[in-house]
């Protein structure tokens, strides 16, 4: 497995644990075991699990598994995927935590912008790898 | 395909169908004059899709496909694997029989079920992470 895939997938596993931890607290609030204030973490729970766990894991596995080129670099320009990693995680943190920052709407916009950059960057790497094996 | 993977994938498909049945119910509610309380199942719909279907499929396929942990135990610790399966699905089933009713019927039993539902699902995520972590590695 290439280094970038290790980084993306292990990071996604950290988001899985963190997201599930928040989800457990929210579920416990429904049982009146936690204060109502925990619902402030619902957007964080959603963001960590959709983009942090699912999307990031998909990126990591796709970068590893999709057909490789016959010449180096066999998985395309890895810098696009490093940009993906840093942009995606910056975006996730900003989208999840913007409710706790001054000017939350601005930070949400910046966060989504980072996530869009991450997807575009990943697309630039992966597009030409969606090909028949022999090419 | 390993037995554990097959169980995860088949369970995932069942949750997918259940989620879509719930989705159908939400759409039919005003048309077929179904009780409004059906919308109490909405959080369950999302979690059947995201946890029961997608996360469970990911767990099942990763157990099968990721680089082997060791020659002796290529798929890691089978006990952790099976514990993940049982905790995840027990947690989801406890959720099914308590979450939609907890606001409607005042009884401690639903609170207890929700407590264990959350604990079991979290436990499943922890055990899966512990089991798969070392298989996410450089060649």
């Amino acid at each position: 497995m290439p280094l970038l895939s290790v980084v993306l997938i292990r990071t996604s596993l950290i988001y899985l644990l963190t997201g599930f931890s928040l989800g457990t607290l929210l579920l416990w609030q429904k049982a009146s075991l936690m204060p109502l204030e925990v619902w402030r973490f619902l957007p964080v729970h959603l963001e960590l699990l959709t983009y942090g766990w699912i999307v990031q894991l998909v990126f990591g596995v796709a970068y590893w598994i999709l057909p490789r080129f016959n010449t180096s670099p066999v998985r395309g320009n890895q810098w696009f995927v490093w940009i993906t990693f840093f942009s995606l995680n910056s975006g996730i943190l900003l989208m999840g935590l913007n409710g706790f920052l001054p000017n939350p709407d601005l930070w949400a916009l910046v966060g989504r912008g980072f996530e869009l950059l991450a997807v575009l960057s990943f697309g630039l790497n992966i597009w030409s790898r969606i090909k028949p094996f022999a090419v | 395909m390993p037995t554990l993977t097959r169980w995860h994938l088949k369970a995932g498909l069942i949750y997918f169908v259940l989620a879509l049945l719930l989705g159908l119910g939400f759409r039919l509610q005003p048309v077929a004059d179904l009780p409004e309380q059906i919308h109490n199942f909405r959080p369950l719909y999302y979690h059947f899709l995201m946890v029961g279907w997608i996360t469970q499929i990911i767990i099942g396929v990763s157990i099968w496909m990721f680089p082997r942990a060791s020659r002796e135990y290529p798929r890691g610790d089978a006990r952790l694997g099976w514990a993940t399966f049982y905790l995840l699905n027990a947690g989801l089933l406890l959720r099914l029989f308590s979450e939609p009713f907890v606001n409607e019927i005042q009884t401690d039993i639903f609170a207890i079920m929700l407590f264990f539902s959350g604990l079991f699902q979290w436990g499943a995520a922890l055990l899966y992470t512990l089991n798969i972590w070392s298989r996410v590695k450089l060649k």
Side-chain angles (χ1 to χ4, degrees):
Chain A
M1 201 182 270
L3 174 64
L4 262 168
S5 290
V6 173
V7 169
L8 284 162
I9 296 171
R10 283 189 171 182
T11 306
S12 76
L13 288 170
I14 293 169
Y15 281 116
L16 172 70
L17 267 182
T18 317
F20 265 56
S21 299
L22 290 175
T24 297
L25 296 180
L26 293 168
L27 196 57
W28 285 353
Q29 199 291 314
K30 292 189 175 188
S32 301
L33 297 171
M34 298 294 298
L36 273 171
E37 283 73 27
V38 296
W39 286 104
R40 293 187 70 191
F41 292 99
L42 178 63
V44 188
H45 167 68
L46 295 174
E47 196 72 20
L48 293 190
L49 289 174
T50 49
Y51 287 91
W53 159 234
I54 303 272
V55 171
Q56 187 148 211
L57 178 93
V58 167
F59 282 172
V61 173
Y63 182 70
W64 170 38
I65 283 289
L66 284 178
R68 288 172 282 178
F69 299 117
N70 294 326
T71 56
S72 181
V74 295
R75 289 189 172 90
N77 188 339
Q78 64 171 321
W79 293 111
F80 285 132
V81 189
W82 279 115
I83 290 170
T84 296
F85 173 74
F86 287 108
S87 297
L88 183 65
N89 287 286
S90 300
I92 290 164
L93 291 174
L94 282 172
M95 278 304 301
L97 299 175
N98 73 81
F100 300 94
L101 299 172
N103 246 328
D105 291 338
L106 173 64
W107 290 116
L109 196 62
V110 173
R112 277 287 179 247
F114 273 127
E115 289 173 349
L116 176 62
L117 175 63
V119 174
L120 288 172
S121 189
F122 189 74
L124 284 173
N125 172 273
I126 221 72
W127 188 267
S128 51
R129 289 179 62 193
I130 303 169
K131 63 178 181 68
F133 277 111
V135 173
Chain B
M1 190 186 292
T3 303
L4 182 56
T5 296
R6 294 201 305 270
W7 280 53
H8 273 298
L9 296 188
K10 288 184 177 180
L13 284 169
I14 292 170
Y15 285 111
F16 197 14
V17 170
L18 289 175
L20 292 174
L21 284 172
L22 284 174
L24 199 60
F26 301 144
R27 291 292 173 184
L28 286 174
Q29 185 269 318
V31 175
D33 206 23
L34 297 173
E36 275 194 13
Q37 284 80 5
I38 196 171
H39 292 289
N40 291 348
F41 285 80
R42 202 166 276 275
L44 199 65
Y45 161 74
Y46 291 123
H47 288 88
F48 274 8
L49 275 178
M50 298 302 292
V51 181
W53 160 237
I54 293 186
T55 297
Q56 183 143 219
I57 294 295
I58 288 170
I59 292 173
V61 174
S62 62
I63 287 168
W64 177 23
M65 288 292 188
F66 274 14
R68 61 182 177 184
S70 64
R71 281 191 192 280
E72 193 179 13
Y73 302 105
R75 298 201 166 91
D77 190 333
R79 295 169 303 177
L80 288 181
W82 282 107
T84 299
F85 176 81
Y86 287 118
L87 284 173
L88 187 69
N89 289 286
L92 287 169
L93 289 175
L94 282 169
R95 190 172 197 145
L96 168 63
F97 292 110
S98 60
E99 189 176 22
F101 313 107
V102 68
N103 289 330
E104 304 285 330
I105 303 167
Q106 301 303 319
T107 171
D108 287 341
I109 190 70
F110 291 138
I112 294 168
M113 289 170 75
L114 279 177
F115 172 76
F116 284 107
S117 171
L119 188 66
F120 286 176
Q121 288 175 79
W122 180 83
L126 177 66
L127 295 184
Y128 169 66
T129 301
L130 290 173
N131 204 19
I132 209 76
W133 187 267
S134 61
R135 294 179 63 188
V136 180
K137 59 181 178 179
L138 299 172
K139 195 175 180 186

